[in-house]
Amino acid sequence: MQRLDLRQLLSQKLSPQQIQFIKLLQIPTVELEARIKEEMEINPALEEGREEGDTDTYDDASGDDYEGEDDYGKDDVDIKDYINEDEISGYKMQGDRGGDDDDDREMPIAVTTSLTDNLLDQLGFLSLDDKQFAIGMQLIGSIDSDGYIRRELSSIANDLAFSQNIETSEEEIEQVLQMIQTFDPAGIAARDLPECLLLQLQRREQDSTTRLAERIISEAFDEFTKKHYHKIQAKFGVSDAELKDAVDQIIKLNPKPGGAGAGMTRVQYIIPDFILTNENGQLQLSLNSRNAPDLRISRSYADMFDAYEKSDKKDKKLKETVTFVKQKLDAAKWFIDAIRQRQNTLLRTMESIIKYQHDFFVEGDESLLRPMILKDIAEDIGMDISTVSRVANSKAVQTEFGIYPLKYFFSEGIATDSGEDASSREVKHILKEIIDKESKRKPLSDEKIEKMLNDKGYNIARRTVAKYREQLNIPVARLRKEL
């Protein structure tokens, strides 16, 4: 028999305004511009810019004043809820000074399109039939982010058979693969490291040094990786100088061509979200003016309300029209409030980061960075850690020393003999200096580096040294050894 129960549950739901604010907060400046254009396309009540002589702007209200319930069906609609006769620049961001100043202050940094797009473009230049083109597409889709194809050709043949109903052999796939391996960047689509290095050597001038380098990779790769240079020298009967030239050529090759492939593509630009200047020792922070344009409520929609106020309010069709208009106006108000809340949150977060890392922003010395985690900033500005995380993960600041992502300034603390905490970034900086100054004929082991850091007052374990070394992309001592 079916049983009915009555339960009381306490749950938390985000209002539409909160959801909109969260989405806007986590996107960078360039994406925000696109988001604003998208909103104006779907909401005719939202307009950009100000017409000459038009002083009507949105009232300076906070998005927190909403209670989340809409009363679209009510008759007591007042145009004053949406239009203020005072001239208020409500949507301009701090730092928006107008004129040509903005262009002078923006220093965009470049990012690139994907490696896959680049390879597909090159595939289109080959004279392939439909079957070969499909094989090429499958091979490119099988390339990992570092530029290698690690799937067996038999597995790729099975994929083509099951997913695209294309019967092919490993020989046909190998033929197309060899074409793709001629693409830029050099070494792409290799199946292992030796093949990757050989593909790059084959594009170089075929002199005696290059030919020796190819033989080392083909016939003595195991000895090369273990730094057994005396065995290689004895095997090929070459002099110290000849071996050194060949080894130098090999170590300059790119073991991960996928990382370089994106550089061959079209460049897009990311505009920093914050601009920090040093005015006679005083740090001045402003939000990039491109974070949002002037926004306002549409005058034509306001005129509809004027017509409604003067009309017979019992007209059902007119009432339905006004209900629709009010929905659009409320949506425009919510969006503008979310934009303004975003500005306030960004500024408060960045100001707190500057307070914590003041010495770095003045001097630009990485060793001056203090330990700082998301919780520190969240407690300082009285916001949730998730809010600070959304800001830090997708924003960048322009300083006199370059453009930095905000997450660059967050790091764990390492205890020191003085009882204070040092930033893990400071420790990495010192670790790199130690390795840069070491003898390349006798590189330092992680244990020795640990002892040196302990002597400098940093209480750090060997496994932490290894972790930081890997994060800096520095190989182990055995692989740092040179002739």
Side-chain angles (χ1 to χ4, degrees):
M1 183 176 178
Q2 190 174 16
R3 181 178 175 180
L4 297 177
D5 289 327
L6 184 62
R7 297 181 182 179
Q8 274 191 325
L9 296 175
L10 184 63
S11 61
Q12 184 179 20
K13 294 179 66 176
L14 294 176
S15 68
Q17 300 95 311
Q18 290 173 315
I19 295 173
Q20 190 169 58
F21 168 67
I22 290 172
K23 290 181 178 180
L24 289 173
L25 181 63
Q26 62 191 10
I27 60 177
T29 300
V30 173
E31 292 183 29
L32 179 66
E33 292 180 319
R35 177 67 183 87
I36 290 173
K37 291 179 181 178
E38 178 186 347
E39 185 69 20
M40 287 192 295
E41 287 177 359
I42 64 177
N43 189 352
L46 184 66
E47 289 185 349
E48 178 182 354
R50 181 185 304 153
E51 296 178 3
E52 185 177 353
D54 184 3
T55 60
D56 295 333
T57 55
Y58 168 61
D59 188 22
D60 189 14
S62 170
D64 296 332
D65 295 338
Y66 292 108
E67 298 179 0
E69 294 295 332
D70 303 324
D71 55 349
Y72 296 142
K74 293 186 178 181
D75 290 335
D76 54 345
V77 179
D78 190 351
I79 186 59
K80 294 180 181 179
D81 290 339
Y82 301 94
I83 300 298
N84 186 358
E85 295 301 324
D86 297 327
E87 184 173 353
I88 302 173
S89 181
Y91 320 118
K92 297 286 278 185
M93 286 208 166
Q94 179 178 341
D96 187 3
R97 301 176 182 174
D100 298 329
D101 222 18
D102 298 330
D103 294 332
D104 295 336
R105 299 176 65 209
E106 290 165 1
M107 294 173 59
I109 54 180
V111 294
T112 53
T113 54
S114 71
L115 171 67
T116 301
D117 292 338
N118 177 30
L119 296 176
L120 290 174
D121 287 343
Q122 296 178 71
L123 183 67
F125 288 106
L126 297 180
S127 299
L128 303 176
D129 56 33
D130 291 344
K131 183 177 181 180
Q132 289 176 318
F133 188 80
I135 294 173
M137 292 277 287
Q138 189 72 29
L139 285 169
I140 290 174
S142 301
I143 295 177
D144 293 338
S145 59
D146 55 2
Y148 288 83
I149 288 183
R150 293 184 170 87
R151 297 206 60 185
E152 297 292 336
L153 296 188
S154 58
S155 298
I156 294 176
N158 290 335
D159 291 341
L160 287 164
F162 287 112
S163 63
Q164 301 186 46
N165 198 28
I166 296 176
E167 293 291 337
T168 185
S169 65
E170 292 185 30
E171 290 74 19
E172 290 177 300
I173 297 176
E174 177 79 33
Q175 185 180 18
V176 178
L177 175 60
Q178 290 176 3
M179 298 180 191
I180 293 175
Q181 288 177 340
T182 64
F183 291 174
D184 289 326
I188 198 68
R191 284 159 285 189
D192 53 36
L193 180 57
E195 184 178 29
C196 176
L197 300 178
L198 285 172
L199 288 171
Q200 296 177 59
L201 289 171
Q202 289 167 5
R203 299 199 189 187
R204 297 188 172 226
E205 182 181 352
Q206 294 300 303
D207 53 18
S208 59
T209 300
T210 302
R211 286 192 291 271
L212 176 58
E214 290 178 354
R215 290 190 66 190
I216 292 173
I217 298 299
S218 302
E219 303 172 31
F221 187 71
D222 187 55
E223 291 88 345
F224 171 75
T225 58
K226 293 178 180 177
K227 303 281 186 177
H228 294 166
Y229 297 125
H230 61 284
K231 293 183 179 180
I232 298 175
Q233 192 171 4
K235 184 173 184 176
F236 296 120
V238 295
S239 65
D240 289 345
E242 290 174 324
L243 179 61
K244 185 177 186 304
D245 289 343
V247 170
D248 286 343
Q249 187 172 107
I250 293 172
I251 63 178
K252 291 177 182 178
L253 301 175
N254 185 4
K256 295 183 178 181
M264 306 299 296
T265 59
R266 299 178 300 274
V267 176
Q268 300 170 333
Y269 289 94
I270 295 178
I271 306 297
D273 303 84
F274 304 92
I275 299 172
L276 185 66
T277 57
N278 191 333
E279 304 288 346
N280 299 321
Q282 295 295 320
L283 297 176
Q284 303 291 332
L285 174 68
S286 63
L287 277 170
N288 192 306
S289 60
R290 291 194 178 185
N291 267 275
D294 281 329
L295 297 175
R296 66 178 181 188
I297 301 298
S298 169
R299 164 55 67 183
S300 61
Y301 270 56
D303 291 341
M304 292 183 189
F305 269 128
D306 286 334
Y308 176 71
E309 291 291 334
K310 299 173 184 178
S311 67
D312 180 5
K313 296 183 180 181
K314 294 182 180 180
D315 188 323
K316 184 177 180 180
K317 290 186 177 181
L318 182 57
K319 182 178 177 180
E320 290 175 353
T321 301
V322 171
T323 299
F324 170 79
V325 170
K326 187 175 186 298
Q327 290 175 347
K328 293 300 181 183
L329 288 171
D330 280 342
K333 287 179 66 177
W334 292 349
F335 187 79
I336 294 171
D337 282 339
I339 291 290
R340 298 180 63 197
Q341 285 180 283
R342 178 183 188 274
Q343 298 171 19
N344 179 58
T345 302
L346 292 181
L347 282 172
R348 289 177 62 189
T349 303
M350 190 64 218
E351 286 168 353
S352 180
I353 293 174
I354 292 173
K355 182 172 69 175
Y356 265 84
Q357 308 292 1
H358 181 271
D359 292 343
F360 170 80
F361 287 115
V362 172
E363 301 292 337
D365 186 351
E366 190 178 66
S367 64
L368 296 176
L369 285 170
R370 295 174 52 195
M372 184 179 73
I373 58 177
L374 295 173
K375 184 179 179 182
D376 296 330
I377 303 301
E379 290 179 348
D380 184 52
I381 64 178
M383 292 186 177
D384 191 82
I385 292 178
S386 62
T387 301
V388 178
S389 177
R390 287 186 176 93
V391 175
N393 285 336
S394 58
K395 307 297 183 297
V397 58
Q398 174 187 315
T399 72
E400 295 183 348
F401 315 106
I403 297 176
Y404 297 89
L406 296 197
K407 59 184 177 182
Y408 175 84
F409 304 109
F410 292 87
S411 61
E412 300 173 348
I414 300 294
T416 63
D417 290 344
S418 63
E420 299 179 352
D421 280 347
S423 166
S424 60
R425 198 171 295 279
E426 174 186 343
V427 178
K428 290 179 186 178
H429 182 72
I430 296 174
L431 186 152
K432 188 175 186 302
E433 285 185 342
I434 291 174
I435 293 177
D436 287 343
K437 295 177 182 178
E438 71 182 1
S439 169
K440 299 307 178 186
R441 288 183 175 271
K442 194 175 181 180
L444 298 169
S445 66
D446 291 345
E447 289 82 3
K448 292 181 180 178
I449 295 174
E450 173 198 0
K451 188 177 184 304
M452 295 175 70
L453 288 170
N454 289 339
D455 292 341
K456 291 177 179 289
Y458 299 100
N459 299 325
I460 186 172
R462 186 203 60 78
R463 62 179 179 274
T464 307
V465 171
K467 181 179 77 171
Y468 288 172
R469 176 179 51 73
E470 290 172 359
Q471 290 174 353
L472 292 169
N473 293 322
I474 298 174
V476 296
R478 174 172 54 82
L479 297 179
R480 299 200 303 273
K481 184 178 179 181
E482 297 180 2
L483 289 174

